[in-house]
Amino acid sequence: MTNFETLPSEEVYTLFQKLVYDKLGIHLAKQKRMMLGHRLLKRVKHIKANGFSDYFRFISHPDNDHELEIALELMTTNETFFFREEKHFEYMAKTILPNINPNKEYKVWSAASSSGEEPYSIAMLLNEHCSAPWSVVASDVNKSVLAHARKGIYIDDRTKLLPHKYREAYCVKGTNEFEGYMRVKPELRNRLHFFSFNLLDSMSSLGKFDLIFIRNVMIYFDDKTRQKIINGLQQCLNEGGYLFISHSETLHGLEHSFELIKPAIYRC
Ligand SMILES: C[S@@+](CC[C@H](N)C(=O)[O-])C[C@H]1O[C@@H](n2cnc3c(N)ncnc32)[C@H](O)[C@@H]1O
C-alpha cells in the first residue's frame, strides 16, 4: 500500500457501503468515506493488505470470516451511557411499574445494548421499583461490546451519571490495576443475559417481552429496514407492552399498530 492511501476510492467505498448494508442494515452515507477509512486503516495495515480494495477482497473470502467480523464491528457506533434519556426511566418507575401484575414475570429486552450501560440501568431500576419477578435480556450484533457488557467494568467517569444511591448499591470500586474503574456487583450482573443478535434476523424465536428498548440504533437504518424491524418487534411484545425508541428517532412514515403515548414511548 502506498503511504497515501488513507481512504478508499469512491468505487471501493461503494463496495463497503453495500457490504455494511447487507450485513448490518447500516446505511453509510456518501460523506462517511473518510470515517470508514479512519476506522479500517489499522486493519488494512495489520493484515498487510495492499490498500482498501485488497482488504475488501480479503474480507469477502469465506476463509476470512473472522476479519470480516472485525471490520463490521468497526463500522458500528457504540456510544452509550448509564440512564441515557432519563425520561424513559422516570416513565418506567412512575407510570409503568406501579401498574404491572405482581404475580407475572416482567420481561425487558434491550435490543441494541452496546457495552451494557442501558441494560444495567434498567436492571437497577427494576430492582428498586418492580414488585414482580423480573428479567432483562440484552443483545447487540457487536460481540466485542457484548464481552465488555458481560464483564460490567466501567471507567469511573462513565458511572458518574448513575444516581449516587445506585452506585453505592450496585457497583464496587476497583483496586490495584482496576483503580479508577467500577464494576457492577455480581448479584446484579448475573441476573442479566447478554446474547449476540442481528436486528436484521428473524425475531420469532425470541419470545415475548413487556418492554423493549430499541434506542439510538434505528437512526442508522433506512425505512425499509426500520419497517422490517418494527414488524418483528410488534410480534415480540405482549399485549399492553411498551416500546422505547430514542427521543431523536421516530416511527413516522412506518406502518405499525402502536399507540404513541409520549415522545419516544409507544404501546402495543
Ligand atoms: C449507539 S449504540 C446504542 C446503545 C444504547 N441502546 C443507547 O441508546 O445508549 C448502537 C448499537 O447498535 C448496534 N447495532 C448496529 N447495527 C445492529 C444490528 N444490525 N443488529 C443489532 N445491533 C446493531 C451497535 O453495535 C451499537 O452497539
Side-chain angles (χ1 to χ4, degrees):
M1 186 173 71
T2 69
N3 286 334
F4 300 105
E5 197 184 29
T6 54
L7 80 166
S9 67
E10 279 182 19
E11 196 188 341
V12 172
Y13 181 62
T14 57
L15 299 175
F16 280 105
Q17 278 178 308
K18 183 168 182 329
L19 177 76
V20 172
Y21 181 77
D22 290 347
K23 298 282 185 192
L24 301 176
I26 295 176
H27 168 70
L28 286 176
K30 225 176 162 188
Q31 315 82 274
K32 294 284 164 88
R33 187 156 64 106
M34 184 93 92
M35 179 210 80
L36 182 131
H38 279 316
R39 291 191 184 180
L40 291 185
L41 186 60
K42 256 195 186 155
R43 297 308 305 172
V44 175
K45 288 181 175 164
H46 182 81
I47 67 139
K48 300 189 171 50
N50 192 20
F52 286 92
S53 168
D54 194 28
Y55 182 72
F56 183 83
R57 246 190 317 275
F58 185 82
I59 58 175
S60 304
H61 194 282
D63 285 350
N64 300 322
D65 273 0
H66 180 61
E67 186 62 33
L68 171 64
E69 192 174 319
I70 295 175
L72 290 173
E73 287 190 352
L74 287 168
M75 290 301 102
T76 64
T77 299
N78 312 114
E79 167 69 10
T80 185
F81 43 90
F82 285 100
F83 287 92
R84 183 177 196 177
E85 302 190 37
E86 227 182 333
K87 285 206 165 78
H88 281 142
F89 295 95
E90 265 173 41
Y91 191 78
M92 251 180 101
K94 293 196 177 136
T95 309
I96 302 181
L97 294 176
N99 293 304
I100 61 167
N101 176 351
N103 301 314
K104 189 174 162 278
E105 183 181 341
Y106 193 75
K107 294 183 175 182
V108 185
W109 175 24
S110 163
S113 67
S114 189
S115 40
E117 287 88 333
E118 179 178 278
Y120 284 126
S121 303
I122 298 167
M124 288 175 197
L125 189 116
L126 287 170
N127 211 40
E128 298 291 327
H129 295 275
C130 187
S131 55
W134 56 265
S135 63
V136 177
V137 298
S139 62
D140 201 284
V141 74
N142 182 326
K143 291 185 183 148
S144 305
V145 291
L146 283 174
H148 181 178
R150 284 188 190 101
K151 283 191 189 132
I153 299 175
Y154 301 95
I155 296 178
D156 223 353
D157 250 15
R158 308 281 306 164
T159 61
K160 292 240 164 78
L161 285 168
L162 271 176
H164 181 71
K165 65 168 187 172
Y166 286 170
R167 259 168 78 102
E168 291 293 303
Y170 300 110
C171 298
V172 279
K173 261 185 185 304
T175 52
N176 302 324
E177 78 263 40
F178 290 108
E179 189 76 49
Y181 289 84
M182 298 286 277
R183 186 167 200 190
V184 179
K185 286 184 182 170
E187 301 87 284
L188 194 79
R189 225 170 53 230
N190 296 337
R191 293 200 58 175
L192 277 77
H193 171 61
F194 290 98
F195 66 106
S196 151
F197 183 73
N198 189 334
L199 290 163
L200 301 187
D201 291 342
S202 163
M203 298 176 187
S204 61
S205 61
L206 297 180
K208 295 262 190 190
F209 300 91
D210 299 296
L211 170 58
I212 299 175
F213 281 66
I214 175 131
R215 307 188 308 166
N216 300 297
V217 61
M218 288 201 288
I219 31 163
Y220 301 107
F221 303 146
D222 62 10
D223 276 354
K224 188 171 154 227
T225 308
R226 274 198 279 258
Q227 183 67 64
K228 184 171 176 253
I229 292 171
I230 286 299
N231 294 346
L233 293 174
Q234 274 184 170
Q235 305 305 315
C236 288
L237 270 173
N238 282 323
E239 186 74 37
Y242 287 87
L243 182 79
F244 288 178
I245 64 171
S246 164
H247 289 83
S248 57
E249 295 165 327
T250 172
L251 298 189
H252 188 75
L254 304 181
E255 276 179 33
H256 62 82
S257 54
F258 294 116
E259 183 189 352
L260 176 65
I261 305 289
K262 269 174 169 272
I265 298 180
Y266 292 83
R267 192 163 194 199
C268 205

